Amino acid sequence: MAEFQAEPAAPVRTATLWAVLATGVLSMLLLGDGLAVNLLLVAIPAALAAYFAAEAAGRRPRLWTLTWAIGGLALLIVPALRDADWPSFLAGVTAVALGSLALHGGRTWPAVLLGPIGVLNALVTGPTWGWRGLRERSGGGRGKLGVGLRALVVTAILLLVFGALFASADAAFADLLSDLVPDVSVSGVPKHVLLLVLGLAGSLAVAHTAAAPLRWDRVQVPAGRPRGRFEWALPLIVLTVLFAAFNAVQLAVLVGGYDTVLEKTDQTYAQYARQGFWQLLLVTLLTVLVIVFALRWAPRDGARDRTLVRGVLGTLCALALVVVASAVRRMDMYVGEYGLTRLRISVVAVELWLGLVIVLIMAAGVWGARWLPRAVAATAAAGVLAFGLMSPDAVIAERNVQRYADTGRFDLDYARDLSADAVPALDKLAEPLRSCALQSLADQLGEDASPWYATSWGEARARDILRDRPPSKGADWSVCADLGESTAYR
């Protein structure tokens, strides 16, 4: 990767080393009990280390750099708010991707897609760079950094000794310390040491990448060989006609009603919706790929070719948006029949995002595609953030509770598998169904609570609700079995 390497990294600043140390210490103290707001607390000093290193290298933050950095930190709010693991994991992965964009910069597709590789490469070079800077500044224990480290050690010893004495002298003070200070027991020393090392190595990798990023914009993607107008246009025009025919049928179904279609196809309402959605989702994805390859091989000899490309692909994109709307409508029909699940809400979100990508491609055909890679990445990150903030498990529970109120049908087994984010919605159910749905969650949350920094707001709110209105221990489980129906996976 030498051809993509920027100039050698500037010497590490003292401020960078302090930020790296803070990241390592916070990782050691906060990350051993789960992930919530502690992830954001650890990321902030790591971001500061990157800022100080970039400043020493003469890099100034630009608008897109700030956008990626702020977006990455904002995504880490999701684990602090939501108890469900799956949106938090998605937000964490996306935050890493945005962080790599902030560190490397770049506006091309290779820069957007290959950024995380540069951070992995810095896991080797970053610690070496940091150790060299540490030795230069320690001055054999006489430098400012050596003085600072000695002061930290003395401070830690004093806090440990006098804190332990005060805690043993007063039970209330001991309880306060147990809530505020992480429990670092002897048995947990290996884990904490590992977290310290990972925090130091990770923050040094981030800082080194900011000081000397790989220039992925230099990757040259060979242009596709332009095709003749007939060879290029004929397949796409035929595909466009097929799209138009399908959309015409959808319009006819919408006007004539679904009952006529179901009678002719010998399908149930739910079968018609379920059968169509997955195919239409695949159609949307394949349409995006077709457009990408069509642009690569599009004729480009002059104004007439540009007009042809815009006309054919613009029409195909517009018809693809109708397909997106049809797919979303079919899933709405299916959810109305069988309820909302994590899989269903996830694929609808992906379908909507693919529709947005098609709109961006249409806009690029009018105003140019230079901004398209970063716009696609930004919309993906914004979608993940919105998905996490809306609390998918809470939305699922609310929709299914409303469905129960309308139809009297409720998937009790699926409700029991939801996270604590669903508790406020499930709390609205009438007894004994409420107790049946919440009992398993109450048992899970009744275990020893995690420290404040590893407890999400969703979990804390669920604990408050269940403490004020605990599930009935004497719930009639046979009644719940009759009320609930296992239809989540139909």
Side-chain angles (χ1 to χ4, degrees):
M1 289 187 282
E3 64 270 27
F4 309 129
Q5 183 72 52
E7 297 180 0
V12 61
R13 291 177 54 185
T14 302
T16 303
L17 291 176
W18 281 116
V20 167
L21 179 62
T23 305
V25 172
L26 288 176
S27 299
M28 176 184 66
L29 296 178
L30 302 182
L31 295 184
D33 299 296
L35 299 180
V37 70
N38 50 3
L39 199 57
L40 180 60
L41 295 177
V42 171
I44 290 175
L48 289 175
Y51 172 77
F52 294 138
E55 189 177 47
R59 298 182 65 197
R60 295 293 181 266
R62 299 180 179 180
L63 178 60
W64 275 107
T65 302
L66 293 175
T67 300
W68 301 134
I70 294 173
L73 292 175
L75 281 162
L76 297 182
I77 297 175
V78 174
L81 296 178
R82 305 301 171 216
D83 179 62
D85 293 333
W86 58 297
S88 297
F89 173 79
L90 186 60
V93 171
T94 308
V96 171
L98 289 194
S100 70
L101 284 174
L103 295 171
H104 289 95
R107 63 184 65 188
T108 64
W109 284 113
V112 170
L113 298 176
L114 301 178
I117 298 178
V119 180
L120 293 177
N121 179 65
L123 287 173
V124 178
T125 57
T128 304
W129 171 70
W131 176 249
R132 186 167 59 247
L134 181 63
R135 291 186 60 186
E136 291 173 356
R137 281 162 175 75
S138 63
R142 295 183 297 274
K144 292 183 179 180
L145 192 62
V147 173
L149 290 175
R150 289 199 301 272
L152 281 178
V153 171
V154 173
T155 301
I157 293 174
L158 291 176
L159 287 176
L160 179 63
V161 172
F162 285 93
L165 290 173
F166 284 133
S168 61
D170 189 278
F173 186 76
D175 184 64
L176 175 65
L177 285 183
S178 65
D179 291 336
L180 297 178
V181 181
D183 180 20
V184 185
S185 59
V186 175
S187 60
V189 166
K191 178 180 70 174
H192 290 291
V193 171
L194 176 61
L195 290 173
L196 172 65
V197 172
L198 291 177
L200 294 174
S203 55
L204 282 172
V206 167
H208 185 267
T209 303
L214 296 176
R215 300 299 186 182
W216 294 115
D217 276 342
R218 299 175 183 174
V219 177
Q220 297 296 324
V221 179
R225 182 173 66 86
R227 307 290 177 174
R229 293 176 187 171
F230 179 80
E231 179 186 4
W232 180 86
L234 178 62
L236 293 175
I237 291 175
V238 172
L239 181 62
T240 301
V241 172
L242 180 63
F243 269 67
F246 176 82
N247 290 336
V249 172
Q250 297 305 295
L251 180 61
V253 170
L254 182 62
V255 173
Y258 289 99
D259 293 339
T260 303
V261 176
L262 298 180
E263 183 179 345
K264 290 182 178 180
T265 59
D266 194 27
Q267 290 180 316
T268 66
Y269 188 77
Q271 286 173 338
Y272 178 76
R274 179 178 60 181
Q275 179 190 39
F277 174 80
W278 296 106
Q279 287 89 332
L280 296 182
L281 176 63
L282 183 59
V283 164
T284 306
L285 180 59
L286 291 177
T287 301
V288 173
L289 295 178
V290 166
I291 293 171
V292 169
F293 285 108
L295 289 171
R296 179 175 175 81
W297 292 316
R300 39 184 178 266
D301 288 338
R304 295 182 62 184
D305 285 341
R306 289 194 295 271
T307 302
L308 174 65
V309 171
R310 288 177 178 177
V312 173
L313 293 185
T315 303
L316 182 60
C317 287
L319 294 173
L321 291 177
V322 179
V323 172
V324 171
S326 178
V328 173
R329 172 55 183 156
R330 286 174 182 250
M331 181 52 71
D332 183 63
M333 293 165 54
Y334 190 60
V335 168
E337 185 71 17
Y338 288 122
L340 190 60
T341 65
R342 289 171 172 173
L343 176 61
R344 292 164 195 166
I345 195 174
S346 299
V347 294
V348 167
V350 171
E351 179 75 20
L352 291 174
W353 177 71
L354 289 174
L356 180 57
V357 170
I358 292 174
V359 172
L360 293 176
I361 292 174
M362 296 174 70
V366 178
W367 293 296
R370 185 176 180 85
W371 50 270
L372 185 59
R374 292 188 293 193
V376 171
T379 57
V384 171
L385 178 60
F387 189 73
L389 293 180
M390 78 175 186
S391 186
D393 276 14
V395 173
I396 292 168
E398 290 171 1
R399 180 67 181 266
N400 292 339
V401 168
Q402 182 60 48
R403 174 173 171 264
Y404 174 69
D406 295 337
T407 67
R409 292 178 293 174
F410 187 77
D411 193 335
L412 180 59
D413 291 337
Y414 196 84
R416 289 171 176 166
D417 290 333
L418 296 175
S419 67
D421 298 329
V423 169
L426 297 178
D427 184 54
K428 300 176 183 178
L429 290 168
E431 294 290 359
L433 187 57
R434 174 189 175 274
S435 293
C436 295
L438 292 177
Q439 186 58 60
S440 59
L441 283 170
D443 292 340
Q444 296 173 17
L445 297 176
E447 300 173 358
D448 293 338
S450 300
W452 65 269
Y453 51 81
T455 301
S456 67
W457 178 73
E459 180 181 343
R461 184 172 61 161
R463 287 182 184 277
D464 292 339
I465 292 174
L466 295 175
R467 183 184 62 248
D468 295 338
R469 295 182 299 278
S472 174
K473 295 295 185 179
D476 190 341
W477 300 103
S478 61
V479 173
C480 290
D482 293 336
L483 290 173
E485 60 169 355
S486 298
T487 57
Y489 300 103
R490 292 186 184 178

